[in-house]
Amino acid sequence: MMIKVFNKIPFLKSLIKLRARKIDIVETIEECELIANKLEKSTSYLPILGLDCEWVTQNDIRHPVAMLQIADNNGMCSLIRLSKLETIPTSLSNILGNSNIIKVGVAILDDAHLLMNDYNIQVSGCIDLRYLAKECSLQERSLSALAYELLGCELDKDWRVRASNWEAELLNDRQIKYAAMDAFVAIKIFEQFRNIKISWWNWLFLTEKQKWNDFIVKYSEYIDLPYKNMKSNGNTTFKSKSNIRSYSTSTIKAAQVYDNCLMENIDGTVMSTCSHKKVDWYISQGLAKLVKDNPRTIRLNFSADLKNRKDKFSVLPRENICTVCGRPEYFRKKKIIPKEFVRHMPTAYKSHIPHDTLLLCYWCHIKSNTFDSTIRKKLFDICKTNEVNPNEYRKIPAYVKIMRSKSLAQTLLKSRHKLPDKIIYELKLEIAEIYNIKPNRVFDSFLETLVTIKSLKYENDSQHNNAAKKVVEHFLERNALNELKTMWRQHFLNTMKPKYLPTLWSVSYDG
């Protein structure tokens, strides 16, 4: 209601100054350090920044982020041209990585992931403005839509500017204004949300700093939380504005993951926890009998060999909460030591898999995977080997078209008798356009050739695994495999700071 009243009173809108007080274009390390010092001073009073990124996409391939836009609450906007910097100053990295300095924007976690992927810059303390829009009963909106709704201003979203060359030697005036306004408007929208949600009492009697602190504490649950959108059918989807890694919702467990049933050896010794499904299977196969209902416990009808088994971790019950933040839903299992490394380790070391598999919520899982790029790079540098991204092939437009033609050929060969003639013609037409031939030349023999095309993914997967294999071999040769495992575990602790680690979990765990 307040939003509607606000939008109907032009006088209130006119009070909002939608012009950045100063725009700095940063192209050198010295200029960047100077801006970082200014930001450090401005955020010491009000720790809030508007943030956005721009990049160039050419032939469907995204270039590294070309420009980082940062605006503070005083109207200072800095356009940091990352594509022109040889390195990122520590002073700027410290500000971006400081979770006590709030960064706001729409799909801001996507920008944070891109900065990590492209420049190894950790960005923490991010709040997606769309969450606050929901808190104010607004529909999911873009930055420009929120700006119009809350501030009464129209942002320049001409695609010719948005898709312009952000790596150009000189930026034109329209590019500069476009980029600066995105970051500056983000912080003004955040300010409007605060004004809407604050009580009259707090508005009258709290200082400006107290108002901000009160608002941030109230909505701290949204800090570093990637935006999720609830579809009308109840399924959860996670939206992004770039081609960064996303997960299929089929891999996300909505609620309980661990059933914490128990499996006993024939002598009554507890061997491990297990699922209800495994309990039912053992009983149905006559391999075990149910000896207890709560928790469900089965006892094997034969003696299992536990001579070489020393893993104590697998017999402990596990909580169905995120190990990092305690969230009780939307789980994914996190392999602390990635499987491409574990598969090359000796069998004895693989017994620690339960210890190094932790439950994370979807958002913490994404964040953790982003941080993993740091230690991967460190390990590959130590072993003087290069990692190949197994999904790099997806960035090649020609390859995408070829694999599309393979899929169409498979459909035509397997299901042609079920398809209408019109659909068959359209599928053949699409294949013909890919290979620049006439549709009537798409014979069955040609389709059979297409389905034999091998995916480049397997080749890249092989190279990807070979890089991990070299790392494992490097540590094995030095009899230091435990050091490798410790590095991964310590990295997880340092970057994620988990609050709910299971009993017996430790960096030096060895069974």
Side-chain angles (χ1 to χ4, degrees), residues 342-354 485:
V342 174
R343 66 162 52 102
H344 301 297
M345 294 181 180
T347 304
Y349 286 89
K350 295 178 182 178
S351 65
H352 301 159
I353 288 177
K485 297 170 75 172

Side-chain angles (χ1 to χ4, degrees), residues 86-99:
E86 295 180 0
T87 185
I88 309 300
T90 303
S91 53
L92 178 62
S93 298
N94 290 341
I95 291 172
L96 294 173
N98 188 345
S99 59

Side-chain angles (χ1 to χ4, degrees), residues 301-354:
N301 295 331
F302 58 93
S303 179
D305 183 11
L306 302 178
K307 186 184 300 182
N308 297 320
R309 188 188 185 109
K310 62 175 183 176
D311 179 33
K312 302 173 184 176
F313 197 81
S314 59
V315 304
L316 299 174
R318 304 284 290 272
E319 287 190 86
N320 287 287
I321 60 173
C322 173
T323 305
V324 175
C325 67
R327 187 179 297 274
E329 57 186 354
Y330 301 121
F331 298 124
R332 295 193 87 244
K333 288 184 178 180
K334 167 70 178 180
K335 306 291 184 184
I336 303 302
I337 306 173
K339 60 184 179 182
E340 64 264 29
F341 291 89
V342 174
R343 66 162 52 102
H344 301 297
M345 294 181 180
T347 304
Y349 286 89
K350 295 178 182 178
S351 65
H352 301 159
I353 288 177

